[in-house]
């Protein structure tokens, strides 16, 4: 699990370090002239380096040092806690007996460990295998201290360099941290999304055992699988990467556009894949439901219409809905950040032009030209947009690994969900049966058009399509 506040903490510390070093260099060269190099780090790492296999934060000395210190503190806490319950004492066996009452077996070595908790495999008395997610006892106190330190450092840097506009990181961390520390909230989110997307047979959300769960312990169904970016695992298990990418796009389009309830941490450790032995069908397993973003109807529908406009290359509507989402005059930059495409590609049609290495190089090369504007944009857009941008970034990283980025199927799925979402909202607001019927037939016709167009594209790219084209060319040549 990679929680939001830890993600923001890592960004902040790495950002502060790079920002201060950059400032020193710039001041030496430009005689204390104010610049916005910190924004380069954030923009490049958060939006423009999604296709890189190296995360700058992973090699950050400060991030490494912070992780090492955190590990040391947690290890010390565990050791000192165990000292109070020595091996072989009555207290020790009392604790062991309580575990024995609940589980037939409980693996002491965790299946996985992260910044907030670790997961242990256990077996219940009825034979079911479960995963027990246990929160570290000191994590709440330590997390609060981390937030205070970040807030102090950010305020200090903002005081020294007023153009450093990232205080919103602290507000987001303060808002999301309590939600992620409440495992009962995570369980409720898991059940809600499982019910919401139950029509997707490929989706698997582990069931929650409420009788064995508390705010700091979450017991759930144990599910195994390979990480979604493990190409070797997929190859060994005959899993189609295109099918995975397509289904992942369907799932998230449904969450974002139709339901407005979005799982915001789809990094590879939280998205597993496997072949179901009974049906031989591929499943996507979605884990770690601590962080969700709820979108209100106005934001969600404006976001729907913006993506529709981007896919149709309707630049007037792109400007209109970008402004409604807070981008203002920075709407061209907003469109580029949202799609991770160049302005040329946005104007040409993101669904019509494929992503090239040349375009990626162009984006990274020209990113520095828009540093102050990026900082201004991130401060202007609604807070809901920040987690969506992070989610988009993680999904693009998966698509890049699977080499399915910007495939036509993803745009078809998004278009369908946008059409359904807008039609659903219009029918809900309409009181006239005639108007509802109009909306229904308009929705059905538009979806039929998309399905037909997708079918034609599939035929054109298939062996049958090539045979038909060859046959027609042969007839034309004979005549």
């Amino acid at each position: 699990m990679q929680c939001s506040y830890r993600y923001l903490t890592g960004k902040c510390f790495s950002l502060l370090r790079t920002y201060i070093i950059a400032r020193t260099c710039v001041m030496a060269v430009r005689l204390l002239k104010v610049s916005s190099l910190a924004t380069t780090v954030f923009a490049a790492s958060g939006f423009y380096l999604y296709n890189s296999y190296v995360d700058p934060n992973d090699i950050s000395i400060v991030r490494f040092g912070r992780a090492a210190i955190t590990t040391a503190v947690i290890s010390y806490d565990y050791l000192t806690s165990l000292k109070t319950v020595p091996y072989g004492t009555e207290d020790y066996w009392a604790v062991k007996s309580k575990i024995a009452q609940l589980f037939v077996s409980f693996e002491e070595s965790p299946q996985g460990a992260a910044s907030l908790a670790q997961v242990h495999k256990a077996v219940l008395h009825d034979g079911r295998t479960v995963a027990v997610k246990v929160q570290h006892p000191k994590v709440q106190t330590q997390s609060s201290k981390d937030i205070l330190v970040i807030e102090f450092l950010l305020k200090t840097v903002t005081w020294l360099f007023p153009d450093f506009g990232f205080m919103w990181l602290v507000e987001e961390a303060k808002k999301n941290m309590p939600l992620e520390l409440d495992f009962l909230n995570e369980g409720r989110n898991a059940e809600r999304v499982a019910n919401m997307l139950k029509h997707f047979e490929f989706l698997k959300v582990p069931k929650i055992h409420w009788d064995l769960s508390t705010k700091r312990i979450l017991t759930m169904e144990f599910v195994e699988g390979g990480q979604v970016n493990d190409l070797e695992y997929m190859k060994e298990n005959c899993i189609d990467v295109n099918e995975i990418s397509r289904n992942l796009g369907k799932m998230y389009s449904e969450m974002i556009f139709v339901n407005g309830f979005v799982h915001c941490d789809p990094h590879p450790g939280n998205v597993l894949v496997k072949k179901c032995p009974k049906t031989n069908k591929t499943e996507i397993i979605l884990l770690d439901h601590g962080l969700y973003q709820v979108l209100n109807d106005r934001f969600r529908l404006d976001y729907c219409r913006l993506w529709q406009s981007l896919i149709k290359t309707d630049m007037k509507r792109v400007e209109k809905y970008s402004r409604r989402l807070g981008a203002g005059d920075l709407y061209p930059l907003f469109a580029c950040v949202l799609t991770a495409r160049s302005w040329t590609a946005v104007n040409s049609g993101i669904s019509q032009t494929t992503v090239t290495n040349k375009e990626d190089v162009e984006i990274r090369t020209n990113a520095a030209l828009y540093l102050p504007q990026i900082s201004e944009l991130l401060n202007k857009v609604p807070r809901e947009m920040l987690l969506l941008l992070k989610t988009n970034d993680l999904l693009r990283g998966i698509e890049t690994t699977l080499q399915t980025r910007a495939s036509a199927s993803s745009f078809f799925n998004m278009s369908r969900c946008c059409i359904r979402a807008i039609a659903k909202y219009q029918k809900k607001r309409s009181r006239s049966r005639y108007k509802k019927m109009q909306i229904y037939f308009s929705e059905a016709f538009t979806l039929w058009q998309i399905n037909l167009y997708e079918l034609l594209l599939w035929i054109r790219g298939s062996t049958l399509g090539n045979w038909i084209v060859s046959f027609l060319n042969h007839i034309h040549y004979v005549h």
Side-chain angles (χ1 to χ4, degrees), residues 401-413:
T401 303
L402 300 181
Q403 298 180 349
T404 58
R405 184 171 146 224
S407 64
S409 63
S410 65
F411 294 117
F412 288 132
N413 290 330

Side-chain angles (χ1 to χ4, degrees), residues 106-289:
F106 190 96
E107 294 184 4
E108 294 187 13
S109 299
Q111 295 285 312
S115 53
L116 288 185
Q118 57 190 45
V119 179
H120 296 263
K121 185 178 180 181
V123 179
L124 299 176
H125 285 280
D126 60 7
R128 289 176 295 175
T129 304
V130 295
V132 184
K133 184 175 179 179
V134 183
Q135 187 180 125
H136 185 268
K138 300 291 181 70
V139 75
Q140 295 201 17
T141 305
Q142 189 63 42
S143 300
S144 301
K145 290 177 181 177
D146 283 350
I147 296 297
L148 289 175
V149 171
I150 296 169
E151 186 172 16
F152 171 76
L153 291 174
L154 282 174
K155 284 182 178 179
T156 302
V157 175
T158 304
W159 177 69
L160 291 171
F161 312 111
D163 58 329
F164 184 84
F166 290 98
M167 281 303 298
W168 51 266
L169 284 168
V170 177
E171 299 305 318
E172 286 300 298
K174 284 182 177 179
K175 181 181 73 174
N176 294 322
M177 184 180 67
L179 297 176
E180 294 195 78
L181 293 177
D182 183 356
F183 286 176
L184 292 178
N185 176 67
E186 179 176 343
R188 288 190 292 269
N189 288 342
E191 287 197 341
R192 179 175 174 182
V193 79
N195 184 62
M196 190 175 78
L197 302 180
K198 62 184 177 182
H199 54 287
F200 289 142
E201 294 182 357
F202 60 80
L203 176 61
K204 175 71 175 178
V205 177
K207 295 180 180 179
I208 307 299
H209 293 269
W210 290 108
D211 56 327
L212 297 172
S213 298
T214 68
K215 292 188 72 171
R216 287 173 47 189
I217 297 175
L218 185 65
T219 305
M220 67 200 97
E221 176 186 4
F222 184 84
V223 185
E224 291 183 293
Q227 289 193 3
V228 72
N229 63 344
D230 190 342
L231 294 175
E232 192 63 32
Y233 173 87
M234 294 193 202
K235 186 177 180 181
E236 290 175 0
N237 291 272
C238 301
I239 295 175
D240 184 1
V241 294
N242 291 301
E243 180 186 358
I244 293 297
S245 183
R246 185 166 57 249
N247 288 341
L248 200 59
K250 285 181 182 179
M251 187 170 74
Y252 268 88
S253 292
E254 191 88 8
M255 281 193 272
I256 294 170
F257 299 114
V258 179
N259 297 290
F261 186 66
V262 189
H263 179 282
C264 288
D265 204 8
H267 71 80
N270 290 338
V271 184
L272 306 182
V273 295
K274 73 166 188 176
K275 278 273 190 179
C276 181
K278 294 182 179 179
T279 63
N280 202 35
K281 292 183 179 179
T282 304
E283 291 183 343
I284 294 178
I285 304 158
L286 193 61
L287 306 175
D288 195 350
H289 301 271

Side-chain angles (χ1 to χ4, degrees), residues 67-81:
I69 292 170
T70 302
T71 303
V73 170
I74 290 174
S75 300
Y76 176 77
D77 286 338
Y78 273 124
L79 288 172
T80 53
S81 298

